[in-house]
Amino acid sequence: MPDLGAASNVVVRLSKQIPNFVNHILYFDNFYTSLGLLTYLRSRGIYSLGTVRVNRVPNCKLSSDAILQQKKVDRGYSEEFVGTAYGIDISSVLWNDTKTVRLLSTYVGVKPFASKNINKQISKVTRWDRKKKTHYDIDCPQIIKEYNRHMGGVDLMDGLLGRYHIRMKTRKWTNRIFYHMVDVAMVNAYILYHRLHPHADKIELPTFRTQVAESLCVCGTIPVKRSVGRPSNTTPPPKIPTAKRAYLPTDDIRYDQIGHWCVFRDRSGKKQCKYPKCKSETQAYCTKCNLSLCSSTTKTCFYDFHNK
């Protein structure tokens, strides 16, 4: 096997099991991409696509970031050059979005495939303009769409970790590693959740993290009243009334069958039942969910709410 460097050798070793000349396609990020790797894979009949670092492309004709800043190019600007190495055509593409990204490929370039678009017009993607507060369309090369459609794994996880993670300022490296592993576990659980429930409504990652946190804090526990401590001499400041939002527990808390006790208030404490499609007032409420639910001989909202 050829020696293509420490990073590219990993791809060479893992691709041994792929049969030759069956038109397989490999995708990887800029940590592994190199001209030698693309040439070697194409010699085996394996196409490839990946983002690339500038210093790994000798005599690169793509514009540098400094030149692009001088030109003041808009979002959606792209460049493409096709070179030949050992009789293999390699396309190098630059695309300017929020940042510039460079890619190498042996099977796709800026223009879309002829079978999908007869006119070969560059497709569009929608972006948000912060200054004008409106959405607008920019050009998106086909190589970008191919990469985003098929690239996953570490690249997808890094993107999710970068958007939503536990922000903690500390000098202890042990704390940083611990919270990083919590973030990784949360992202993996988020991906597995959508893989196991493909037909369910898509939940955003911040909402998913909130639901998991609430479930871990309450699920499987019995509510215990805090003991009254020594009374304070100072009177607490008056509470400012705020608008209460409708709160419903997550399914893990709602159906765990632990600690859901039905308690009755006096007649002056009647509240509207929180069960859907029930507008009656009731004295009964759940001690764990803290929701008013009907529980009588005619209405069984309390039982229906806690059972699937």
Side-chain angles (χ1 to χ4, degrees):
M1 309 299 292
D3 185 9
L4 303 177
S8 298
N9 286 343
V10 175
V11 181
V12 173
R13 185 174 67 254
L14 294 176
S15 63
K16 287 182 180 180
Q17 300 178 355
I18 301 177
N20 298 335
F21 300 101
V22 196
N23 297 330
H24 284 285
I25 303 176
L26 278 181
Y27 302 88
F28 28 76
D29 59 10
N30 57 17
F31 182 77
Y32 304 98
T33 308
S34 65
L35 289 175
L37 178 61
L38 269 69
T39 305
Y40 166 75
L41 293 175
R42 187 63 184 87
S43 65
R44 293 179 49 194
I46 301 174
Y47 298 95
S48 56
L49 166 62
T51 54
V52 66
R53 301 175 184 179
V54 181
N55 56 359
R56 293 191 180 181
V57 183
N59 301 323
C60 181
K61 294 184 179 180
L62 297 175
S63 301
S64 62
D65 293 341
I67 295 176
L68 294 177
Q69 290 180 358
Q70 293 177 359
K71 293 181 179 180
K72 295 182 179 180
V73 296
D74 298 329
R75 296 180 69 175
Y77 172 81
S78 61
E79 296 179 359
E80 180 181 17
F81 289 95
V82 180
T84 303
Y86 301 100
I88 298 172
D89 293 337
I90 300 178
S91 175
S92 58
V93 177
L94 177 146
W95 186 55
N96 183 45
D97 193 13
T98 53
K99 294 182 180 179
T100 55
V101 58
R102 295 170 176 82
L103 304 97
L104 291 181
S105 176
T106 55
Y107 79 98
V108 65
V110 171
K111 294 183 178 180
F113 302 116
S115 60
K116 294 185 178 180
N117 192 335
I118 300 177
N119 299 326
K120 291 188 176 182
Q121 296 179 355
I122 300 177
S123 56
K124 303 286 186 178
V125 292
T126 304
R127 292 292 184 267
W128 173 257
D129 191 348
R130 294 183 178 179
K131 294 182 179 179
K132 297 181 180 179
K133 305 295 182 182
T134 56
H135 289 90
Y136 66 102
D137 295 336
I138 63 173
D139 295 335
C140 180
Q142 183 65 28
I143 190 173
I144 298 292
K145 289 204 163 187
E146 284 288 309
Y147 183 83
N148 292 336
R149 185 181 298 114
H150 298 97
M151 189 59 183
V154 176
D155 194 51
L156 176 62
M157 187 175 67
D158 287 343
L160 293 174
L161 285 175
R163 295 184 185 94
Y164 311 105
H165 60 91
I166 300 174
R167 302 181 182 274
M168 179 180 179
K169 293 183 179 180
T170 177
R171 294 184 179 181
K172 293 184 178 180
W173 60 271
T174 53
N175 292 345
R176 290 179 177 271
I177 291 180
F178 173 77
Y179 286 111
H180 176 74
M181 297 307 297
V182 172
D183 289 329
V184 171
M186 190 67 67
V187 171
N188 289 336
Y190 176 73
I191 296 173
L192 289 175
Y193 174 82
H194 286 293
R195 187 177 299 175
L196 295 174
H197 303 84
H199 303 293
D201 295 336
K202 188 173 182 180
I203 304 175
E204 297 295 334
L205 183 56
T207 306
F208 180 80
R209 293 173 68 104
T210 303
Q211 291 183 359
V212 172
E214 291 179 355
S215 300
L216 291 177
C217 291
V218 183
C219 181
T221 61
I222 300 176
V224 179
K225 292 184 178 180
R226 295 181 60 185
S227 59
V228 180
R230 177 180 294 180
S232 176
N233 296 328
T234 59
T235 57
K239 294 183 178 180
I240 301 175
T242 56
K244 295 183 179 179
R245 65 180 181 88
Y247 168 78
L248 290 177
T250 60
D251 292 344
D252 295 332
I253 303 172
R254 181 175 173 179
Y255 302 120
D256 64 352
Q257 303 293 327
I258 297 176
H260 296 279
W261 305 110
C262 182
V263 179
F264 291 86
R265 304 184 181 93
D266 54 6
R267 290 187 174 274
S268 60
K270 276 189 174 183
K271 293 185 178 180
Q272 184 176 353
C273 179
K274 298 300 181 181
Y275 191 71
K277 299 181 180 180
C278 181
K279 298 182 179 179
S280 302
E281 290 187 349
T282 179
Q283 298 172 248
Y285 72 99
C286 178
T287 57
K288 186 170 184 176
C289 301
N290 197 20
L291 296 176
S292 297
L293 298 166
C294 298
S295 180
S296 62
T297 56
T298 58
K299 293 186 177 181
T300 58
C301 298
F302 186 92
Y303 176 83
D304 298 336
F305 183 80
H306 294 102
N307 291 273
K308 295 184 180 180

